[in-house]
């Protein structure tokens, strides 16, 4: 028998970031000493108080189905956090999801129909394109690479791309893969376009706490944005909780009640005891987050300085833990060579709509980052 697969699923490829990371793990399992700068995952253990809170929650019997949209304590705590950022959300505006990825997936499914137009700012994280294609949407891509990955000088291009036919715009600041943090002026420009053309905006703020000397502003705090914005965030990056799978969306209640249908029919909920650990993360982890961000900052500075020593000039990222390294036109081949000849795993820029670059995740020990640069130089890849 030949199975017939849906058009929908055949439109997309597996996640490039996760695929390269499993290739690197496979090589490691085969005994190779791979420096994995591919997947975007903090290398720190989850802070102890969060782990303890998760364990206690299990011991206390929080192992059954929780309310679909999330346990009330966590939804309250998330609303408090968002209010402290100047946003107007209440607990009822929040859906807790197994990872921010699921929050994005549910939002796209809720908003995008066949043939709807969705605008992405390139380079863009790999999964946005796949999510839009799965929903049947059409993509319009605005390339920020010629503008040093910054949105501000590119607003004219964005103005050309957005029209009354545009249904959705996805903004991700701090950005994966560029580390760019968009200025208030740029976000105001986004607001003006969104209002003029009546566009809904997803603001993916998962790296919001990981910035270096810059305070990002949340998009829905701008006038006229609350009602047209879905704010997405999660615990994976700031609290080093990637495997716990915990994230959320916050949006006006009309969107929440629509997305909640998909949520209840698909994942049911995020894991009960994980959500309890999420409360602890939001309440008592400020110092650990500060220390992790400091470590990322030091690594960023060291990596940029090392590259400079080898005459590679890069745009210094202001947030997240990624850096776009200019490489050969054939970035796919460059990344393959880097893995096979230097045992350094990176992700081809093409996966993000940025050919000619490789994305480096510097969420790794300083000595490993230094060794990675040395290996790339020795292999004549830098
Ligand atoms: N958005 C961006 C920009 C990301 O880099 C990631 C990383 N996986 C996610 C969303 C999803 O994160 P998670 O599902 O682990 O919360
Ligand atoms: N977001 C991270 C990355 O870009 C994790 C992997 C993924 O979910 O894509 O590497």
């Amino acid at each position: 028998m030949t199975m017939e697969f849906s058009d929908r699923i055949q439109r997309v490829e597996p996640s490039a970031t996760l695929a390269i990371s499993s290739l690197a793990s496979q090589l490691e399992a085969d005994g190779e000493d791979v420096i994995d700068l591919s997947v975007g995952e903090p290398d720190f253990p989850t802070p102890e108080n969060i782990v303890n809170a998760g364990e206690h929650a299990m011991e206390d019997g929080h192992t059954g189905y929780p309310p679909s949209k999330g346990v009330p304590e966590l939804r309250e705590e998330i609303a408090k956090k968002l209010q402290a950022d100047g946003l107007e959300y209440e607990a009822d505006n929040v859906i807790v999801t197994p990872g921010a990825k699921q929050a994005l997936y549910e939002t796209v499914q809720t908003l995008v129909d066949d043939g709807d137009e969705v605008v992405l700012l390139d380079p863009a994280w790999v999964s946005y394109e796949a999510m839009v294609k799965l929903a049947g949407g059409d993509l319009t891509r605005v390339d920020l690479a010629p503008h040093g990955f910054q949105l501000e000088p590119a607003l004219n291009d964005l103005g050309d791309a957005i029209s009354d036919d545009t249904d959705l715009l996805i903004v991700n600041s701090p950005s994966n893969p560029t580390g760019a943090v968009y200025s208030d002026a740029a976000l105001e420009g986004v607001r003006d376009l969104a209002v003029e053309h009546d566009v809904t905006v997803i603001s993916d703020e998962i790296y919001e706490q990981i910035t270096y000397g810059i305070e990002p502003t949340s998009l829905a705090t701008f006038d006229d944005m609350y009602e047209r914005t879905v704010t997405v965030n999660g615990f994976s990056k700031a609290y080093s909780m990637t495997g716990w799978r915990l994230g959320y969306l916050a949006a006006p209640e009309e969107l929440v009640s629509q997305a909640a249908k998909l949520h209840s029919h698909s994942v049911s909920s995020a894991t009960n005891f994980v959500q309890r650990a999420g409360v602890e993360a939001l309440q008592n982890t400020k110092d650990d987050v500060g220390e992790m961000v400091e470590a990322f900052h030091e690594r960023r500075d060291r990596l940029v300085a090392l590259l400079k020593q080898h005459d590679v000039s890069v745009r210094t990222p202001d947030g997240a833990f990624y850096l776009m390294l200019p490489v050969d036109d054939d970035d796919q081949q460059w990344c393959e060579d880097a893995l096979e000849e230097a045992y350094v795993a990176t992700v081809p820029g093409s996966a993000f709509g940025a050919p000619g670059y490789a994305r480096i995740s510097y969420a790794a020990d300083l000595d490993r980052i230094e060794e990675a640069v040395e290996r790339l130089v020795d292999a004549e890849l830098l």
Side-chain angles (χ1 to χ4, degrees):
M1 179 210 155
T2 318
M3 284 189 194
E4 294 233 353
F5 298 110
S6 65
D7 289 345
R8 179 177 335 109
I9 204 66
Q10 293 185 76
R11 272 178 227 144
V12 299
E13 297 295 325
S15 162
T17 45
L18 297 180
I20 287 160
S21 154
S22 25
L23 192 61
S25 306
Q26 185 56 50
L27 279 172
E28 265 176 352
D30 294 345
E32 301 298 349
D33 175 25
V34 177
I35 304 178
D36 189 357
L37 307 181
S38 65
V39 75
E41 174 162 46
D43 54 322
F44 301 104
T46 303
E48 205 180 335
N49 60 317
I50 302 177
V51 175
N52 289 340
E55 280 175 3
H56 290 147
M58 268 191 269
E59 283 157 14
D60 291 346
H62 294 298
T63 53
Y65 287 130
S68 177
K69 285 186 272 189
V71 301
E73 296 88 328
L74 181 58
R75 292 175 82 207
E76 284 293 343
E77 208 54 48
I78 289 169
K80 255 198 246 167
K81 179 247 180 283
L82 295 171
Q83 286 161 14
D85 294 341
L87 295 154
E88 294 168 34
Y89 302 115
E90 304 290 339
D92 283 346
N93 297 113
V94 174
I95 300 181
V96 179
T97 52
K101 204 180 252 183
Q102 177 70 17
L104 290 160
Y105 181 77
E106 289 176 11
T107 305
V108 171
Q109 283 290 325
T110 300
L111 292 169
V112 177
D113 268 326
D114 272 341
D116 280 357
E117 196 183 303
V118 181
V119 175
L120 289 188
L121 301 171
D122 272 343
W125 176 50
V126 291
S127 293
Y128 300 140
E129 174 181 335
M131 289 176 189
V132 171
K133 284 185 173 169
L134 284 168
D138 292 332
L139 285 158
T140 300
R141 315 190 70 131
V142 176
D143 191 7
L144 303 188
H147 307 283
F149 304 131
Q150 275 301 332
L151 178 57
E152 217 162 336
L155 274 172
N156 285 342
D157 300 356
L158 187 59
D160 291 342
I162 292 189
S163 70
D164 290 348
D165 292 333
T166 308
D167 295 287
L168 180 66
L169 166 69
I170 303 182
V171 177
N172 169 221
S173 172
S175 152
N176 176 5
T178 68
V181 179
Y182 304 143
S183 68
D184 284 6
L187 296 179
E188 273 166 20
V190 167
R191 185 268 317 276
D192 293 346
L193 288 167
V195 170
E196 184 186 342
H197 298 289
D198 202 15
V199 172
T200 303
V201 184
I202 296 179
S203 183
D204 179 350
E205 303 183 359
I206 193 160
Y207 297 99
E208 146 257 346
Q209 297 198 56
I210 307 174
T211 56
Y212 315 117
I214 265 191
E215 278 286 313
T217 310
S218 189
L219 196 54
T221 59
F222 289 93
D223 287 347
D224 303 321
M225 283 310 284
Y226 173 84
E227 61 267 33
R228 62 180 66 254
T229 305
V230 181
T231 304
V232 172
N233 207 330
F235 293 72
S236 287
K237 315 292 172 169
Y239 303 102
S240 199
M241 291 177 72
T242 47
W244 296 69
R245 312 307 302 130
L246 192 62
Y248 56 90
L249 65 87
E253 269 185 83
E254 52 176 352
L255 182 132
V256 166
S257 60
Q258 296 298 326
K261 294 190 276 184
L262 175 59
H263 187 72
S264 70
H265 285 302
S266 54
V267 293
S268 297
S269 67
T271 304
N272 193 339
F273 49 85
V274 166
Q275 295 191 49
R276 318 263 163 190
V279 174
E280 175 68 19
L282 287 175
Q283 285 178 342
N284 295 313
T285 319
K286 218 168 169 223
D287 291 350
D288 296 78
V289 174
E291 281 168 25
M292 289 190 268
V293 173
E294 237 172 74
F296 293 139
H297 195 164
E298 192 184 354
R299 295 160 180 190
R300 179 205 67 170
D301 289 348
R302 187 82 191 108
L303 176 60
V304 171
L306 278 172
L307 291 170
K308 207 167 166 196
Q309 275 173 25
H310 293 286
D311 294 324
V312 184
S313 85
V314 292
R315 179 95 200 176
T316 304
D318 288 314
F321 33 67
Y322 305 111
L323 177 143
M324 290 297 264
L325 183 69
V327 296
D328 301 345
D329 287 347
D330 189 348
D331 51 288
Q332 190 86 34
Q333 185 61 52
W334 188 93
C335 290
E336 266 173 42
D337 293 346
L339 190 55
E340 280 163 16
E341 292 167 27
Y343 294 107
V344 174
T346 57
V347 185
S350 313
F352 306 92
Y357 291 89
R359 187 193 76 175
I360 293 187
S361 166
Y362 53 87
D365 264 355
L366 263 184
D367 353 341
R368 295 297 273 172
I369 292 171
E370 287 169 5
E371 194 183 332
V373 173
E374 266 170 42
R375 287 192 197 178
L376 292 171
V377 170
D378 290 348
E380 296 182 0
L381 287 161
L382 282 184

